[in-house]
Amino acid sequence: MRLLFKLILSITMLVAVANAQTIKVGTNATYPPFEFVNEQNQITGFDMDLMAEIAKKVGFKIEIVNISFDSLIPALKAGKIDIIAAAMSATPERIKAVDFSKSYYHTMNLFIKKADNKDLTKFEQLEGKKISVQLGTVQEIAAREIKGAKVMAIDEIFGAVMAVKNAKADALIVDSSIGYGYLKQNPDLVEFLHLPDGSEGFSFAFDKGKHKELQAKINSAIDELKNDGTYDKLLVKYDLK
């Protein structure tokens, strides 16, 4: 009887997996270590692994949709994707348009300059300077609030980093979570300031009022993954603090 029960349970689980709902997860795979394309041309990263673990807990399949960061919320509103998993900060402005899961990672705004730039040592000196950021991010918002700043909003964060390296911009504002990685790779760049980013942290986004049940299940799964040690293992895997 016990064997028969196990067999029935196994068949039921297989059928459930086969019939699982496919969730389209929108991302912008140019933001390592959260989302990027690896050497095998696969989209991977902390967010992708975390979402895969959540999918196992909740019981759905994932289809990754890779688009530009500033196109993610419009794609969500148009029904082209179901969730955004793209190191997206839950800002007051975005909360007006979309629903967010509970925060799964916190970061700060990191201000970076060339090591030989002696003119920038504090925030007030950014007035009137050229500042590079990734388009559509909270860092772009921060840059545009600086008096007289000439903001260079670039599609990919790599391009924003290169703008400073090539002296096309005076400073870069970037998430500290990836900014420190770029500093390790580029000894000619240094941090000169870090400030709160004004958000509630990185969260998964859903179209407003459309996926309350799924949102609740994902929130529960995030808690479970933090409690069972899976979340911490992913932090270690991607060298995050």
Side-chain angles (χ1 to χ4, degrees):
M1 181 67 102
R2 216 175 260 180
L3 283 173
L4 179 60
F5 175 76
K6 286 184 177 179
L7 180 60
I8 293 171
L9 181 61
S10 297
I11 292 171
T12 303
M13 290 176 68
L14 286 171
V15 170
V17 170
N19 295 329
Q21 181 184 6
T22 297
I23 300 294
K24 291 186 178 180
V25 179
T27 195
N28 176 233
T30 63
Y31 212 66
F34 288 92
E35 36 270 331
F36 59 96
V37 179
N38 64 17
E39 294 176 354
Q40 289 74 46
N41 204 34
Q42 299 170 325
I43 297 174
T44 187
F46 180 84
D47 284 348
M48 300 299 98
D49 283 8
L50 181 58
M51 183 55 69
E53 294 294 338
I54 288 170
K56 291 179 191 175
K57 292 276 188 186
V58 178
F60 58 82
K61 297 177 182 178
I62 292 174
E63 178 186 339
I64 305 299
V65 181
N66 187 21
I67 55 180
S68 65
F69 189 83
D70 63 319
S71 297
L72 285 167
I73 289 181
L76 189 70
K77 303 296 288 182
K80 295 179 180 178
I81 56 176
D82 302 303
I83 299 174
I84 296 172
M88 180 172 280
S89 299
T91 64
E93 190 62 31
R94 287 174 180 154
I95 289 171
K96 295 176 184 177
V98 301
D99 291 328
F100 281 104
S101 70
K102 62 173 51 183
S103 173
Y104 62 85
Y105 193 84
H106 292 275
T107 186
M108 298 188 77
N109 282 345
L110 190 67
F111 292 72
I112 292 173
K113 65 175 183 176
K114 290 201 74 172
D116 59 4
N117 182 345
K118 307 302 181 185
D119 296 329
L120 285 178
T121 58
K122 54 186 179 180
F123 183 82
E124 290 75 17
Q125 293 169 329
L126 287 166
E127 184 176 331
K129 296 292 192 297
K130 292 181 180 178
I131 302 173
S132 64
V133 292
Q134 184 178 14
L135 180 67
T137 61
V138 293
Q139 288 73 42
E140 181 184 359
I141 296 170
R144 295 196 183 282
E145 291 176 350
I146 297 171
K147 185 177 179 181
K150 301 173 180 66
V151 181
M152 300 172 61
I154 301 171
D155 282 343
E156 297 182 3
I157 191 60
F158 178 75
V161 174
M162 292 305 296
V164 176
K165 281 181 67 71
N166 295 330
K168 293 181 179 178
D170 300 298
L172 162 72
I173 310 178
V174 63
D175 275 317
S176 57
S177 54
I178 70 160
Y180 286 119
Y182 278 107
L183 287 176
K184 288 179 184 177
Q185 299 165 12
N186 298 275
D188 58 328
L189 300 178
V190 295
E191 168 196 1
F192 69 96
L193 185 66
H194 62 268
L195 296 170
D197 68 3
S199 80
E200 296 179 10
F202 291 170
S203 304
F204 301 119
F206 312 81
D207 196 5
K208 198 76 173 174
K210 298 286 182 66
H211 299 286
K212 291 295 186 181
E213 185 178 347
L214 179 60
Q215 182 183 349
K217 289 179 179 178
I218 286 178
N219 281 341
S220 295
I222 291 171
D223 287 338
E224 289 178 31
L225 292 168
K226 286 186 174 182
N227 291 333
D228 69 17
T230 303
Y231 177 86
D232 288 336
K233 288 178 182 176
L234 291 180
L235 290 179
V236 172
K237 177 180 178 180
Y238 289 101
D239 195 24
L240 291 166
K241 298 177 181 179

